[in-house]
Structures are given as structure tokens and as C-alpha cells.
């Protein structure tokens, strides 16, 4: 349990300290009462929200502490599990990769993650595939990306994200300087979302891979991306499989002027386009 530590203007403690609000602080020179949070009950609490096989495993907690990659795909997180997880991450500095695919986190889960991601400085990879976060969840994550400076990969495939969510993420990508890979496959960003992302690529210089397969993108969206790639200097992989791109869009993307700076891999498989090749 949390305990109260008494210190004179300084805090020395193991674990995480939660300071009193400014309006509750005592005058200078007075004793400072600060709440000290013990990591053990926080981590034990996390196990209660995970599948029973974890809670019954005596070594589970130690494995979590020592892991750099924490895979909780299909973990069926109970209500409150997302909050418990991100509270625990404050005590798990070794965890740099987190997989949460197929947990039906929805909007509420995305809100919790967004709040934590805004201040988290350890995660490098976050996979949120198939969690039904929709546009509202994507917008929350976009706000977090404006403040986060360490995340490298964000996986959002299969989340019912439409143009509004894509536009919010695009605005974040335009300003973010740490993200290198964004997976938005199997959503519904369509041409409007593709154009917003294309605009972001004209200013972003760190994104190296962008996955937009199965997003109802047609020639208009493809041409916008082609225009952006003519000046973008970082993107090396663009995945547009199974969209609605015809020969005009494909030829624009594959022309010698497109991607002359960096693009080396272009996937247009499953599109109506015929007779194109990457020049």
C-alpha cells in the first residue's frame, strides 16, 4: 500500500512520488508531506486484470519486470485493465514495445492510452490493431503524438478510423519528429484522409514507412501522395494494397519524379491498376 513519507522540502523515495497540488503545499520551511507509491502493489494489481494464467504464474511478475517487449495481444483486458497497465508502465522502464492488439479497447481505452502516451518517455513501439477506437480514439492519440517525442512505431490497423481521424493523425505527423512508422491499414481514410497524410509528408522528415492498404483510396488520393513524395526525403516504404487505385494513380506514384529522394518500396497489389512499375 501507499505510505506517507515526511521530508523537509526534499523527497527521497523508492518508486514513484506523487506530489501534492500546488495549492495544497505548505509555506517554505514547513514539512512537506508527499505520497509515496510502492511499485509492488501497482504491479500486482496489473496481474489481476490479465488472463488467469498470468495471475497464477509465480514468475509472471518477474518476467514483466525484465521484459523489453510486452505482448498482450488478445489478452481480453478486463474493465480497468488499461488504466492498471499504464500505471504499471511507470515502474517498467525496460518495456519499450507494447502489443495490445485485439482487446476491444474502444474510445475509453484509447483515451487512457493517449493521456499516458503524452508523458511516457520509454515506449518505442505501440501496436493497437483491431481495437475499435474509431475517429475519436485516433484524435486522442494524435494529440498525444504532439507531445510525445520517443514513440517510433504506431500500429492502428483495423480500427474504423475514417477521414476525420486520419486528418488529426496527419496534423500530428506533420509536427512530430520521432515517429518512423505508421500503420493505418484496413481503415476507411479514403481520399480525404490520404490527401491530409500527403500534406503531412511535405513537412515531415522522419517517417520512413506508411501503411494505407484497404482504405478506399482512389486515383485522387494516390496522386496527392505522388505529389508529396516528389519532395519528401524520408519515406522509403508506401503500402497501398487493395485500394481503388487505377492506372492514372498508379502511374503518378510510379513515375521517375515520384520518390526520387527516398522511396524504394511501393505496394499497389490488389488495385485495379494495370501495366505499372516503380521507375
Amino acid at each position: 500500500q501507499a505510505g506517507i513519507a515526511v521530508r523537509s522540502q526534499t523527497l527521497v523515495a523508492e518508486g514513484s512520488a506523487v506530489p501534492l497540488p500546488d495549492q495544497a503545499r505548505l509555506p517554505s520551511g514547513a514539512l512537506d508531506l508527499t505520497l509515496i507509491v510502492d511499485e509492488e502493489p501497482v504491479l500486482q494489481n496489473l496481474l489481476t486484470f490479465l488472463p488467469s494464467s498470468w495471475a497464477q504464474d509465480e514468475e509472471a511478475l518477474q518476467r514483466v519486470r525484465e521484459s523489453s517487449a510486452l505482448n498482450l495481444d488478445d489478452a481480453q483486458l478486463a474493465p480497468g485493465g488499461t488504466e492498471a497497465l499504464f500505471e504499471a508502465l511507470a515502474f517498467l522502464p525496460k518495456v519499450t514495445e507494447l502489443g495490445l492488439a485485439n482487446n476491444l479497447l474502444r474510445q475509453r481505452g484509447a483515451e487512457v492510452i493517449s493521456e499516458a502516451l503524452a508523458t511516457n518517455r520509454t515506449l518505442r513501439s505501440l501496436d493497437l490493431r483491431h481495437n475499435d477506437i474509431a475517429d475519436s480514439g485516433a484524435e486522442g492519440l494524435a494529440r498525444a503524438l504532439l507531445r510525445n517525442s520517443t514513440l517510433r512505431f504506431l500500429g492502428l490497423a483495423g480500427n474504423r478510423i475514417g477521414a476525420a481521424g486520419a486528418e488529426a493523425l496527419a496534423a500530428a505527423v506533420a509536427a512530430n519528429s520521432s515517429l518512423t512508422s505508421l500503420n493505418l491499414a484496413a481503415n476507411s481514410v479514403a481520399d480525404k484522409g490520404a490527401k491530409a497524410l500527403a500534406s503531412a509528408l511535405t513537412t515531415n522528415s522522419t517517417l520512413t514507412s506508411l501503411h494505407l492498404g484497404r482504405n478506399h483510396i482512389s486515383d485522387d488520393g494516390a496522386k496527392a501522395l505522388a505529389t508529396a513524395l516528389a519532395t519528401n526525403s524520408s519515406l522509403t516504404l508506401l503500402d497501398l494494397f487493395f485500394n481503388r487505385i487505377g492506372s492514372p494513380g498508379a502511374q503518378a506514384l510510379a513515375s521517375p519524379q515520384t520518390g526520387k529522394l527516398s522511396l524504394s518500396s511501393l505496394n499497389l497489389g490488389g488495385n485495379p491498376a494495370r501495366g505499372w512499375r516503380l521507375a
Side-chain angles (χ1 to χ4, degrees):
Q1 295 183 353
I4 298 295
V6 180
R7 300 289 186 270
S8 177
Q9 302 304 322
T10 58
L11 170 64
V12 180
E14 294 182 355
S16 175
V18 182
L20 293 170
D22 289 341
Q23 63 270 25
R25 290 193 175 278
L26 298 174
S28 177
L31 290 178
D32 181 10
L33 299 181
T34 307
L35 184 66
I36 310 303
V37 180
D38 183 11
E39 67 177 80
E40 191 69 20
V42 173
L43 297 180
Q44 289 289 352
N45 182 50
L46 170 61
L47 292 184
T48 66
F49 291 98
L50 299 180
S52 58
S53 58
W54 286 65
Q56 295 168 2
D57 185 348
E58 294 180 356
E59 298 180 355
L61 194 56
Q62 187 61 29
R63 287 205 310 274
V64 168
R65 279 197 178 98
E66 296 175 353
S67 295
S68 61
L70 187 56
N71 186 349
L72 296 176
D73 294 349
D74 302 292
Q76 299 178 331
L77 289 177
T82 310
E83 290 92 333
L85 172 60
F86 278 86
E87 182 182 7
L89 281 180
F91 301 101
L92 300 172
K94 292 183 179 181
V95 175
T96 59
E97 300 178 23
L98 179 60
L100 287 172
N102 300 305
N103 274 289
L104 288 179
L105 299 177
R106 297 194 171 93
Q107 181 180 349
R108 175 54 189 158
E111 289 174 355
V112 171
I113 293 171
S114 298
E115 291 172 4
L117 193 62
T119 56
N120 181 278
R121 295 294 178 267
T122 56
L123 282 182
R124 300 293 184 269
S125 173
L126 178 60
D127 189 356
L128 297 173
R129 287 171 297 142
H130 303 294
N131 273 296
D132 196 30
I133 68 170
D135 283 339
S136 58
E139 290 165 357
L141 289 168
R143 289 191 293 272
L145 286 177
L146 291 173
R147 297 175 59 189
N148 182 283
S149 60
T150 53
L151 196 70
R152 302 290 184 264
F153 167 78
L154 179 59
L156 297 174
N159 268 295
R160 291 197 307 114
I161 297 171
E167 287 176 323
L169 289 166
V173 167
N176 181 281
S177 60
S178 62
L179 199 69
T180 60
S181 181
L182 177 62
N183 189 342
L184 282 168
N187 283 292
S188 301
V189 308
D191 286 337
K192 189 175 182 180
K195 290 177 180 179
L197 289 163
S199 179
L201 290 176
T202 63
T203 57
N204 178 280
S205 60
T206 53
L207 200 70
T208 59
S209 64
L210 178 61
H211 298 262
L212 293 172
R214 297 185 186 277
N215 264 289
H216 313 296
I217 297 170
S218 71
D219 287 338
D220 284 347
K223 289 177 180 179
L225 288 165
T227 299
L229 290 173
T231 57
N232 177 275
S233 61
S234 61
L235 202 74
T236 59
L237 182 153
L238 177 60
D239 195 342
L240 291 164
F241 73 97
F242 281 99
N243 276 290
R244 299 172 179 174
I245 300 170
S247 295
Q251 291 298 337
L253 284 164
S255 71
Q257 289 74 35
T258 298
K260 61 183 179 181
L261 298 179
S262 59
L263 194 69
S264 59
S265 179
L266 173 64
N267 184 2
L268 287 172
N271 282 281
R274 295 290 184 273
W276 70 274
R277 65 183 180 85
L278 185 59

